[in-house]
Amino acid sequence: MRRLKTIGILIAAGALAAACSSGSGSSGGGTSTGATGALTIDNESGGTWTCDFNPFNLTYVPYSLGPVYEPLVFVNTLRSGQPTPWLATGWTWADGNRQITFTIRHGVKFSNGDPLTAADVVFTFDMLKKFKTLDINSVWSVLSSVAQSGSDQVVMTFKTAAVPYFYYIADQIGIVDQKVWSKISNPVTYPDKNPVGTGAFTVSSSSCTAQNIKYAANPHYWQPGEPKVGTVNYPAFLTNDTANTYLANGQAQWGSQFIPSIQKFYLDRSPNYHYWFPPVANVSMFLNLTNPLLKNVAVRQAIAYGIDRAKASTIGEYGYEPPANQSGIVTPTFSSWMDSSQAAAYGNDYAYSPSKAISILEHAGFKRGSNGIFQSPSGQPLSFNIVNNGGFSDWVAAVQTIQQSLHAIGIQITPENLAQTTYETYIQTGKFDLGYYAETGGPSPYYELRQWLYSPNSAPIGTAAGSNFERFSDPAVDALINEYATTTSSATQHSIVDQLQKVMLADVPVIPVTEQVDWFQYDTGSFSGWPTPGNPYAQPAAYNYPDWGQLMLHLKPAK
């Protein structure tokens, strides 16, 4: 499944740096007795379900964060990072944006009846500190302490000013029940088959099979009258083709996958069928920088020049996803951040150029073997595997075009189209030469660049990384990323992103191939309340967390 929780415009530093408080301190509780209807999600995963709902495991967090586990605040990246209170009713920055105090909502209960307290929030964050693997976004690289204040407040103190981290600490971390998780000896490997959350929906081992996850409305959800949808089914699909047919036949109402020729295949079947593909982050090739050949920047640069991104876009994505640029800046969404002068110095941002790729390799001492594949001076062929999700037909097709274009310049790649669970494991633990993948990004280009380039996000080969799967490490780059978090100056932030673009261009640690869109198809004949370009209240694809939890709170049966 597409694991993207991205984009929008830069979070307004002033809005989040200022004192914020919305909503009352009490939820009022209530019992939802009006939830009706069954919503079916259609999103090909490339594998069957493991029924693991651990909200701190990068593979499984998309199935629980939002509808089952809830964060402190919802940050809407499609509305300039607009924050909306969730489990926190308000927050206040202090000490030059080095400290933030959250007020925790009263009257919220976990699905087992335990009341949500400020202590649960402190416990959640302390657990991420104790078990680094759980800290997917490395928030403890900037946090120095998290402590309870009074009965309902949590004070988070940072090592330095850290306004951009609001997105990570407030939106991307689900709060868990201390009484439950304190008894878990190793939360890193905990499968969480029967999650206990505060969310609008519940799920358990008895309602999950390898073929379908069944979410049920929480009858005691803290928002009165919510949810209005009674049941959410999430069937597993191994390929786009089966998922697309299921959706087009009306067996599902919410689609989140690539559909070739969408007008004819989907839209023409019903006037109630619609789609919206807002632009998001990048689909990229990750290069394992521990590989002796890929450590050579000349090889990486040659690969970047040798990929025909336009062909990957046209053939793989039917043009729905435009070609990406090596700077890593999604355009037009973040066009104001693009440093075109730097990009021009690198062959118009690594525009497709087989001759340039070959020239770089030859100047670096590589020579073609008898089979046409370049070899290093010591005789090692430029031959690599590339792992991919075999269930994504568009990605499979895109990688085939990459294989062809690189073969033409003397680089051989062999696709490994894997089942989703194996694929995720290989990507996260670095078991690949090349990996085709998309990370989650955030409300400005900084967030995706941070995922790619920040060394605390990575991990040794064999250990799951939260991001930075290529294992890039440069203290100077880490310093730039840390510096960004200390300023609310737009000019300084743009300057830092310019410097990070230079790293992408000069070092080529990651190669963006296409600009990822948020796949979203929906049926207005069955449910109302869907997000639209005119009302983008959340990112609309089912794989966006915690957005899909917000989306399900807006839906109601149309009939």
Side-chain angles (χ1 to χ4, degrees), residues 6 35 56 80 133 170 193 252 254 414 532 542:
T6 63
F56 309 113
S80 304
T133 302
K193 298 288 186 181
W254 181 4
T414 303
T532 64

Side-chain angles (χ1 to χ4, degrees), residues 327 337-349 498 501-502 505:
S327 298
W337 293 83
M338 184 78 179
D339 189 334
S340 300
S341 61
Q342 285 191 142
Y346 287 85
N348 194 23
D349 212 333
D498 286 348
Q501 290 176 66
K502 179 64 178 294
L505 292 163

Side-chain angles (χ1 to χ4, degrees), residues 332-360:
T333 307
F334 299 131
S335 293
S336 65
W337 293 83
M338 184 78 179
D339 189 334
S340 300
S341 61
Q342 285 191 142
Y346 287 85
N348 194 23
D349 212 333
Y350 283 84
Y352 177 53
S353 177
S355 61
K356 181 70 172 177
I358 292 170
S359 175
I360 288 173

Side-chain angles (χ1 to χ4, degrees), residues 202-241:
T202 61
V203 66
S204 66
S205 58
S206 62
S207 63
C208 180
T209 68
Q211 287 72 43
N212 185 63
I213 305 172
K214 182 179 180 180
Y215 299 84
N218 181 352
H220 304 291
Y221 185 51
W222 58 269
Q223 293 194 47
E226 299 292 349
K228 295 180 175 61
V229 177
T231 302
V232 178
N233 288 301
Y234 204 150
F237 294 97
L238 302 184
T239 67
N240 283 81
D241 293 341

Side-chain angles (χ1 to χ4, degrees), residues 177-531:
D177 186 347
Q178 179 178 3
K179 293 180 181 179
V180 174
W181 283 76
S182 62
K183 299 175 183 177
I184 298 168
S185 59
N186 187 357
V188 174
T189 59
Y190 181 58
D192 201 15
K193 298 288 186 181
N194 296 285
V196 176
T198 60
F201 291 86
T202 61
V203 66
S204 66
S205 58
S206 62
S207 63
C208 180
T209 68
Q211 287 72 43
N212 185 63
I213 305 172
K214 182 179 180 180
Y215 299 84
N218 181 352
H220 304 291
Y221 185 51
W222 58 269
Q223 293 194 47
E226 299 292 349
K228 295 180 175 61
V229 177
T231 302
V232 178
N233 288 301
Y234 204 150
F237 294 97
L238 302 184
T239 67
N240 283 81
D241 293 341
T242 53
N244 290 342
T245 299
Y246 195 86
L247 181 68
N249 288 341
Q251 294 168 279
Q253 300 80 43
W254 181 4
S256 297
Q257 70 272 328
F258 163 77
I259 298 178
S261 305
I262 192 169
Q263 181 69 46
K264 181 178 180 181
F265 189 90
Y266 179 66
L267 298 182
D268 287 350
R269 299 201 183 197
S270 171
N272 296 319
Y273 289 178
H274 309 272
Y275 80 93
W276 176 35
F277 295 160
V280 287
N282 290 283
V283 181
S284 305
M285 177 187 286
F286 289 79
L287 305 96
N288 191 326
L289 300 183
T290 69
N291 181 296
L293 290 172
L294 295 172
K295 282 184 178 180
N296 190 326
V297 68
V299 174
R300 303 198 299 271
Q301 290 178 336
I303 293 174
Y305 277 113
I307 293 176
D308 190 341
R309 293 177 173 88
K311 184 174 288 186
S313 168
T314 302
I315 295 178
E317 306 297 343
Y318 277 60
Y320 301 141
E321 293 188 342
N325 58 72
Q326 184 55 40
S327 298
I329 306 300
V330 175
T331 58
T333 307
F334 299 131
S335 293
S336 65
W337 293 83
M338 184 78 179
D339 189 334
S340 300
S341 61
Q342 285 191 142
Y346 287 85
N348 194 23
D349 212 333
Y350 283 84
Y352 177 53
S353 177
S355 61
K356 181 70 172 177
I358 292 170
S359 175
I360 288 173
L361 291 174
E362 291 176 341
H363 278 86
F366 290 86
K367 296 182 179 179
R368 286 186 186 267
S370 58
N371 60 354
I373 301 302
F374 273 102
Q375 297 179 355
S376 70
S378 62
Q380 293 178 290
L382 295 185
S383 178
F384 310 103
N385 77 315
I386 179 167
V387 300
N388 193 11
N389 189 320
F392 296 170
S393 62
D394 53 330
W395 283 17
V396 170
V399 167
Q400 287 176 342
T401 71
I402 294 171
Q403 180 184 28
Q404 294 164 2
S405 60
L406 290 182
H407 189 271
I409 65 166
I411 297 177
Q412 179 174 303
I413 69 170
T414 303
E416 294 185 25
N417 298 316
L418 306 173
Q420 185 261 345
T421 303
T422 303
Y423 162 73
E424 291 278 353
T425 299
Y426 280 21
I427 289 288
Q428 293 167 23
T429 59
K431 191 176 179 180
F432 61 86
D433 298 328
L434 307 171
Y436 203 65
Y437 198 74
E439 292 195 281
T440 58
S444 82
Y446 162 80
Y447 293 88
E448 189 170 18
L449 288 164
R450 180 184 181 276
Q451 288 180 316
W452 287 336
L453 305 176
Y454 195 43
S455 66
N457 289 341
S458 195
I461 296 294
T463 300
S467 57
N468 189 345
F469 302 116
E470 78 281 5
R471 273 65 183 177
F472 177 83
S473 180
D474 184 334
V477 173
D478 289 344
L480 282 172
I481 291 171
N482 288 332
E483 182 185 353
Y484 184 102
T486 68
T487 180
T488 57
S489 165
S490 176
T492 302
Q493 290 177 342
H494 275 262
S495 175
I496 291 169
V497 169
D498 286 348
Q499 294 175 73
L500 295 178
Q501 290 176 66
K502 179 64 178 294
V503 174
M504 290 292 294
L505 292 163
D507 292 346
V508 193
V510 176
I511 301 176
V513 179
T514 63
E515 292 186 351
Q516 175 67 285
V517 300
D518 207 7
W519 304 114
F520 173 48
Q521 302 89 18
Y522 58 105
D523 178 3
T524 55
S526 300
F527 292 89
S528 62
W530 301 103

